[in-house]
């Protein structure tokens, strides 16, 4: 089989030394085949990384080079919606169609989705990796020409292209902004699970900003939440401390909504807030929400452009692209610390 070419039914047949019809009978279980032949066919399928084309089993509809499989953690998260829309816009002129599924950040569900996409003989696979997932099972597919791109987080066990935000630098900038406005006790509410790549990177940026300002790292000011309700509870917990924070840094957009809701519910107008990632209607809040904005459109565009170049034959080494963030000052992050207000 030629290098960098995706294996076909004929390749499997040639590997075993039987006809393509025999291979088809084994895979579709629609005819006689000896146990020995079946074992040899399945072994060749695993060795070559062959995937049956389910879309063309009876009639060829949308074969290779017509679909992209995208696995994201949460269909409801507007960030991933914006990434998907940008991918779709970038590949539309190539006649490619985007297929999308949610892993719910479950490694098993992610694997099942990728297997489903591969069985459809997609042209490109894009994955936002789940915590605990491994991707070594994609090595054969990657080696035989399938473009694989990791989004938002790097994968594990596979050297391939990835596109991520400048999480650490962005969080550093957001926390440094709060420090510049006099805050010395800054709470951090991060996503769950705690091993999540983006959560770890943003926490590292938070800690670096504190260290550069000569501020202590107080573990009591760090907590986590995975949804808006949990973020509201975490906000209440932090503000209930004997020595509470005067400012809060939200680890993502969902956490930010929970913080804002809790502050509104308790009529707290004295707590500064900076959020990592923008939220809808952020400018309509009172005060408007200061954010470290990601660029989901550029993440999607960079991922799609990279994948298309691979589809066109680029066989250079895997590369990682980091998309910069930017601080958008709107008001909530500029509330001065009480000590500065009294000065």
């Amino acid at each position: 089989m030629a290098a960098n070419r995706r294996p076909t039914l004929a390749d499997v047949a040639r590997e075993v030394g039987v006809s393509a019809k025999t291979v088809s009978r084994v895979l579709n279980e629609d005819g006689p085949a000896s146990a020995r032949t079946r074992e040899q066919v399945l072994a060749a399928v695993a060795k070559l990384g062959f995937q049956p084309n389910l879309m063309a089993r009876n009639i060829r509809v949308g074969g290779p080079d017509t679909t992209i499989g995208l696995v994201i953690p949460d269909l409801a998260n507007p960030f991933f919606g914006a990434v998907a829309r940008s991918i779709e816009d970038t590949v539309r002129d190539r006649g490619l169609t985007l297929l999308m599924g949610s892993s719910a950040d479950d490694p098993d569900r992610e694997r099942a989705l990728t297997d489903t996409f591969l069985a459809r003989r997609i042209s490109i696979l894009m994955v936002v990796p789940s915590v605990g997932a491994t991707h070594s099972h994609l090595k054969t597919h990657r080696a035989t020409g399938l473009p694989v791109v990791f989004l938002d987080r790097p994968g594990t066990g596979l050297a391939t292209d990835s596109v991520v935000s400048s999480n650490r630098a962005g969080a550093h900038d957001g926390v440094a902004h709060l420090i510049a406005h006099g805050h010395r006790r800054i709470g951090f509410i991060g996503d769950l699970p705690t091993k999540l790549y983006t959560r770890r990177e943003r926490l590292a940026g938070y800690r670096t900003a504190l260290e550069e300002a000569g501020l202590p790292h107080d573990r009591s000011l760090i907590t986590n939440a995975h949804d808006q309700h949990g973020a509201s509870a975490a906000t209440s917990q932090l503000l209930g401390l004997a020595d509470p924070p005067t400012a809060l840094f939200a680890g993502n957009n969902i956490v930010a909504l929970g913080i804002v809701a809790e502050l509104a519910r308790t009529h707290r107008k004295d707590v500064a807030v900076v959020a990592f990632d923008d939220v809808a209607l952020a400018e309509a809040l009172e005060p408007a929400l200061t954010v470290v904005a990601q660029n989901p459109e550029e993440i999607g565009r960079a991922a799609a452009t990279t994948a298309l170049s691979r589809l066109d034959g680029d066989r250079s080494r895997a590369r990682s692209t980091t998309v910069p963030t930017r601080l958008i000052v709107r008001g909530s992050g500029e509330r001065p610390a009480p000590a500065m207000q009294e000065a």
Side-chain angles (χ1 to χ4, degrees), residues 58-211:
N58 298 314
I59 182 171
R60 190 171 185 81
V61 177
D65 295 345
T66 64
T67 54
I68 295 174
L70 171 63
V71 180
I72 63 174
D74 183 3
L75 291 171
N77 190 321
F79 171 79
F80 294 114
V83 170
R85 183 172 59 249
S86 180
I87 293 171
E88 199 166 38
D89 289 344
T90 305
V91 304
R92 183 177 293 117
D93 289 344
R94 292 289 294 267
L96 294 166
T97 301
L98 186 66
L99 306 176
M100 186 163 53
S102 171
S103 68
D105 262 326
D106 181 325
D108 293 335
R109 187 166 168 177
E110 177 193 313
R111 175 66 183 265
L113 274 171
T114 57
D115 286 348
T116 297
F117 285 146
L118 291 169
R120 296 176 67 96
R121 294 183 63 81
I122 54 172
S123 301
I124 295 167
L125 178 64
M126 297 185 176
V127 181
V128 178
S130 305
V131 174
T134 58
H135 304 93
S136 56
H137 64 286
L138 297 174
K139 284 182 178 179
T140 301
H141 304 288
R142 176 72 180 88
T144 53
L146 175 69
V148 179
V149 181
F150 293 129
L151 296 168
D152 190 52
R153 316 161 188 172
T156 302
L158 179 69
T160 194
D161 302 309
S162 63
V163 181
V164 300
S165 290
S166 54
N167 293 284
R168 189 177 301 213
H172 168 275
D173 293 346
V175 175
H177 185 71
L178 291 169
I179 294 171
H181 285 81
H183 297 280
R184 297 298 178 263
R185 288 188 62 76
I186 301 170
F188 176 94
I189 305 179
D191 198 356
L192 288 171
T194 57
K195 291 183 178 180
L196 187 68
Y197 167 80
T198 50
R199 192 261 187 199
R200 289 188 287 107
E201 286 293 295
R202 293 167 195 176
L203 180 59
Y206 163 87
R207 288 174 171 169
T208 300
L210 294 180
E211 290 169 3

